[in-house]
Amino acid sequence: MIKGNFIYQNYRQALEKIDIDSPCLAKLSVQLNIGTKDYENYLISERRYLAGLQMEPENEQVQVEYMELLFDLDLLKCVYTSLPHLSYSLATRKKADAAQALYADRDRLMIREGYTGLQITQITTQNQTTFQRWVAKNEEVLRYEEANGIAIRWTPTMSEYEDALVVVCERKYRRALDDLESLVVQCLFEMKKLGMSGVGYKLREKIMKLLRTRADAIQSALKRYNEAALQM
């Protein structure tokens, strides 16, 4: 019953919009010298454009995937950078530097600090693990470069890197915007249901709880959107 009423109300709103907008459309059609055939072509063009957005261009996919690999590699190498999306690497760098310092100082730790064999083994293992993870990631990057014909590894000073970084930031921004819009639309639909007649107490409580959850999700999505927008 509720679903049927919801569809009926939407149908009524659609009819009202047609009645209100039809005179404006007729006036604009005369002014712009366009007609029904033009509108149909506009719809076809829009559908074609939207269909093309279902998958990213192949070259952009390669750029993004390669940049993500480079980001991971830089993180493991603990190379500090001022780029906003890599600022978190400083904490990892400090941790890795500490492991390397302990490894270099293991003789003194055994002689003067009384470190046992088990403690020295832990220090050695931690240092080797950090290096092995970097080696594994570097091999992954090398395989990707070979598969995609990248002869020289991109660095921040290269135009390829700068262009790809723009693509990465724009992609992150678009996805954040899509997520935010999707959550807002879902919230509006729930609010629409809440205002409908015939909604029982239990269903109303359920919708209210869902709205609170969506509000938290929207706040998180808005934060991600603002962060992505700052990088544009």
Side-chain angles (χ1 to χ4, degrees):
M1 179 64 182
I2 294 176
K3 184 177 180 180
N5 186 46
F6 181 70
I7 295 174
Y8 171 70
Q9 294 297 333
N10 285 343
Y11 177 68
R12 284 187 55 190
Q13 289 180 7
L15 291 178
E16 290 174 0
K17 285 184 176 295
I18 291 174
D19 290 338
I20 295 172
D21 294 340
S22 291
C24 295
L25 179 62
K27 185 177 180 180
L28 287 172
S29 297
V30 173
Q31 291 178 351
L32 300 175
N33 193 27
I34 54 179
T36 304
K37 189 64 177 178
D38 297 299
Y39 300 138
E40 292 175 353
N41 290 333
Y42 295 156
L43 284 174
I44 293 172
S45 298
E46 184 178 15
R47 293 190 185 106
R48 188 182 300 116
Y49 171 75
L50 293 175
L53 295 179
Q54 292 180 358
M55 291 190 63
E56 294 174 319
E58 186 176 353
N59 64 316
E60 290 190 6
Q61 291 183 31
V62 172
Q63 286 178 309
V64 171
E65 291 172 357
Y66 184 51
M67 289 293 285
E68 288 177 347
L69 287 173
L70 292 180
F71 293 159
D72 292 341
L73 187 63
D74 284 344
L75 181 60
L76 290 172
K77 287 172 63 179
C78 305
V79 178
Y80 176 71
T81 175
S82 60
L83 291 175
H85 57 282
L86 288 178
S87 58
Y88 59 84
S89 65
L90 181 58
T92 304
R93 177 189 179 185
K94 290 180 178 179
K95 184 176 180 180
D97 286 347
Q100 189 174 13
L102 286 173
Y103 180 76
D105 200 33
R106 62 190 186 282
D107 289 339
R108 186 189 65 81
L109 292 172
M110 285 188 294
I111 296 172
R112 296 191 177 182
E113 302 296 335
Y115 272 46
T116 63
L118 178 60
Q119 290 172 308
I120 295 300
T121 300
Q122 290 175 342
I123 291 173
T124 303
T125 301
Q126 185 177 6
N127 184 71
Q128 290 177 345
T129 300
T130 302
F131 177 72
Q132 289 169 357
R133 289 177 61 193
W134 177 86
V135 170
K137 180 59 67 174
N138 187 57
E139 290 177 352
E140 184 180 354
V141 174
L142 288 171
R143 288 193 298 270
Y144 193 88
E145 289 171 340
E146 183 178 358
N148 292 278
I150 302 174
I152 301 176
R153 181 162 299 178
W154 296 353
T155 63
T157 59
M158 297 172 63
S159 60
E160 293 89 346
Y161 187 101
E162 294 176 352
D163 294 341
L165 187 59
V166 172
V167 173
V168 171
C169 292
E170 289 179 348
R171 182 179 189 248
K172 185 177 180 181
Y173 172 81
R174 288 195 301 268
R175 291 195 169 186
L177 180 59
D178 289 344
D179 290 342
L180 181 60
E181 288 180 343
S182 176
L183 288 169
V184 170
V185 170
Q186 291 174 20
C187 187
L188 291 175
F189 273 117
E190 298 300 334
M191 292 176 66
K192 178 72 174 180
K193 291 180 184 178
L194 192 62
M196 291 170 52
S197 59
V199 178
Y201 174 78
K202 289 186 177 180
L203 181 57
R204 190 177 296 274
E205 285 294 312
K206 185 177 181 180
I207 294 175
M208 287 294 294
K209 183 178 180 180
L210 186 59
L211 283 173
R212 286 192 290 269
T213 302
R214 293 211 190 281
D216 293 337
I218 288 174
Q219 287 183 350
S220 299
L222 182 60
K223 181 180 179 181
R224 291 193 297 271
Y225 168 78
N226 289 332
E227 291 173 350
L230 288 174
Q231 297 179 18
M232 293 294 291

